[in-house]
Amino acid sequence: MKRLIALFLSVYMTSMLAACSSEGAELSSDTESSTVSITDSQTEAERETKGTDIDAPEENGDETTGSDSISSSSNILVAYFSCTGTTEQIAGWIAEETEADIYEIVPETPYTEDDLNYNDSSSRANQEQADSSARPAISGSVENIEQYDVIFLGYPIWHGQAPRIISTFLESFDLSDVTIIPFCTSHSSGIGSSAENLHSLCADTVTWMDGRRFSGDATENDVVEWVESLELPKSEVRNVGEFDFETKTVLLNSGYEMPIMGLGTYSLTDEECAVSIAALLEAGGRLIDTAYMYGNEAAVGQAIRDSDVPREEIFVITKLYPNQYSYAADAIDEALEKMGLDYIDMILLHHPGHGDV
């Protein structure tokens, strides 16, 4: 009997998985100056060798630029803003050493040469730095931000501080209980108050570690030595579809973990459904599967809301029936309203046919 149950669970979970298929153009740190000047962290010869024009905005790559999601399951993220490639290079070395995911903070409106004319007090960069409330919009986002325990945050020094787009990034997410490790690039100034002034933008539960400043001629060895001195644990990477029987989860290709102990609610209604879900949660199960055609989404939602288990610990699945496919968005809104929940963890297609997407 046990073998039969185990076989059934294995087939069920397999079907579930198949279904869910210093910046060369940094701003000067001279706090006495009313305008911002270009630093010279690279000599003209070095710029020619490296192909870097310190006045020109860099061309962004496709790998991490403005990405809405990151497929890896690393618990470390390297997020950075770069205009000329110096910070980008440091970020790449950190990500390689820590086996971290990497995300480029890309402005929705790219910076032009005129924007980065730091000797012009009316340029965009200078105007933003002079306005503590400025929040340049970011293109894209980090969808699965909650999977990261550690975030390396990189930026050039502009007029002694982090560019305002870094403030935008920090205020865009709930980073409670995350450890943030800042790093900057500049010609001469240290990281100084640029990191400390970012603390107030995050929850008090964020842990800030001491940051590090790198010059334009920093080497990979410099970066590796610094990262090693932090004594961070290596990122634990799991493969999609991999079952972890200690945490009782399986990693989905979305980057989220799904509990592997759960309850299907077909034919359960009202009180019977509520009692069954209560028993599941008490036994440690955290996966609940329902569907529009089961007619019990409301009962499932009520049982979840009545439980003492935090919502974020429960993985809720429901399904769209074929006659709902043509108005899926409205059907999902209807399911949310029935269940009284703010979100659904997974939506499946019930009895999909050929070409149903």
Side-chain angles (χ1 to χ4, degrees):
M1 185 63 178
K2 289 183 178 178
R3 291 183 179 180
L4 183 59
I5 293 173
L7 178 60
F8 172 77
L9 288 174
S10 176
V11 172
Y12 174 75
M13 294 309 302
T14 301
S15 66
M16 292 288 292
L17 284 171
C20 72
S21 359
S22 124
E23 297 282 345
E26 321 300 23
L27 296 181
S28 168
S29 63
D30 298 335
T31 56
E32 298 298 322
S33 174
S34 59
T35 60
V36 185
S37 59
I38 300 172
T39 62
D40 56 351
S41 58
Q42 294 175 317
T43 65
E44 290 300 330
E46 287 173 328
R47 290 169 199 146
E48 286 186 11
T49 301
K50 296 180 180 179
T52 301
D53 179 351
I54 65 171
D55 288 327
E58 68 196 80
E59 292 195 10
N60 299 313
D62 294 331
E63 264 187 12
T64 58
T65 299
S67 173
D68 286 326
S69 63
I70 299 174
S71 59
S72 165
S73 61
S74 173
N75 67 324
I76 301 177
L77 176 68
V78 179
Y80 72 93
F81 168 67
S82 183
C83 272
T84 64
T86 308
T87 307
E88 180 180 27
Q89 184 175 58
I90 301 297
W93 287 335
I94 294 174
E96 183 176 350
E97 175 63 19
T98 59
E99 299 178 358
D101 291 335
I102 189 167
Y103 174 79
E104 181 179 6
I105 301 170
V106 176
E108 193 170 275
T109 303
Y111 288 89
T112 66
E113 287 189 35
D114 289 339
D115 292 337
L116 299 176
N117 183 358
Y118 311 123
N119 292 319
D120 179 1
S121 61
S122 64
S123 71
R124 174 185 169 191
N126 282 326
Q127 289 295 314
E128 289 177 353
Q129 290 307 96
D131 181 4
S132 61
S133 65
R135 295 293 184 270
I138 293 175
S139 174
S141 181
V142 183
E143 186 175 280
N144 303 331
I145 194 73
E146 66 279 350
Q147 80 182 54
Y148 300 108
D149 301 316
V150 176
I151 297 178
F152 284 85
L153 184 60
Y155 52 86
I157 289 292
W158 284 8
H159 205 18
Q161 298 298 319
R164 299 301 180 192
I165 198 168
I166 297 298
S167 300
T168 307
F169 175 82
L170 292 174
E171 292 179 343
S172 297
F173 305 101
D174 179 6
L175 302 178
S176 303
D177 303 319
V178 170
T179 295
I180 299 179
I181 308 172
F183 65 96
C184 73
T185 54
S186 73
H187 170 55
S188 59
S189 62
I191 198 165
S193 63
S194 72
E196 296 173 4
N197 290 342
L198 298 174
H199 294 189
S200 62
L201 303 177
C202 300
D204 293 337
T205 54
V206 171
T207 299
W208 288 84
M209 294 183 65
D210 291 339
R212 171 70 182 268
R213 167 257 176 190
F214 293 95
S215 63
D217 58 358
T219 66
E220 182 175 1
N221 189 57
D222 295 331
V223 173
V224 170
E225 287 184 356
W226 173 61
V227 171
E228 289 179 346
S229 73
L230 300 173
E231 298 182 346
L232 295 173
K234 287 287 187 179
S235 173
E236 298 178 5
V237 178
R238 288 175 60 188
N239 297 319
V240 171
E242 179 180 316
F243 285 74
D244 185 329
F245 292 100
E246 289 188 8
T247 63
K248 298 181 177 64
T249 61
V250 60
L251 183 66
L252 304 178
N253 59 11
S254 61
Y256 287 97
E257 294 179 337
M258 182 174 73
I260 57 178
M261 178 179 174
L263 174 71
T265 61
Y266 173 69
S267 81
L268 298 180
T269 58
D270 302 331
E271 184 177 355
E272 184 183 25
C273 183
V275 170
S276 299
I277 289 175
L280 168 79
L281 296 175
E282 184 177 354
R286 294 294 184 264
L287 172 66
I288 301 173
D289 174 84
T290 181
Y292 166 77
M293 283 302 291
Y294 295 175
N296 59 11
E297 288 176 321
V300 167
Q302 185 65 52
I304 292 171
R305 298 197 308 274
D306 289 345
S307 76
D308 294 329
V309 178
R311 170 66 184 93
E312 61 270 17
E313 292 184 14
I314 303 174
F315 197 100
V316 180
I317 300 173
T318 191
K319 310 177 191 73
L320 300 182
Y321 210 63
N323 61 5
Q324 295 180 300
Y325 293 175
S326 62
Y327 61 96
D330 290 338
I332 293 170
D333 285 339
E334 182 182 338
L336 286 166
E337 185 174 353
K338 283 182 182 177
M339 289 192 278
L341 301 178
D342 293 329
Y343 64 94
I344 297 167
D345 296 274
M346 182 185 292
I347 301 287
L348 299 180
L349 300 183
H350 215 159
H351 304 306
H354 179 72
D356 284 330
V357 178

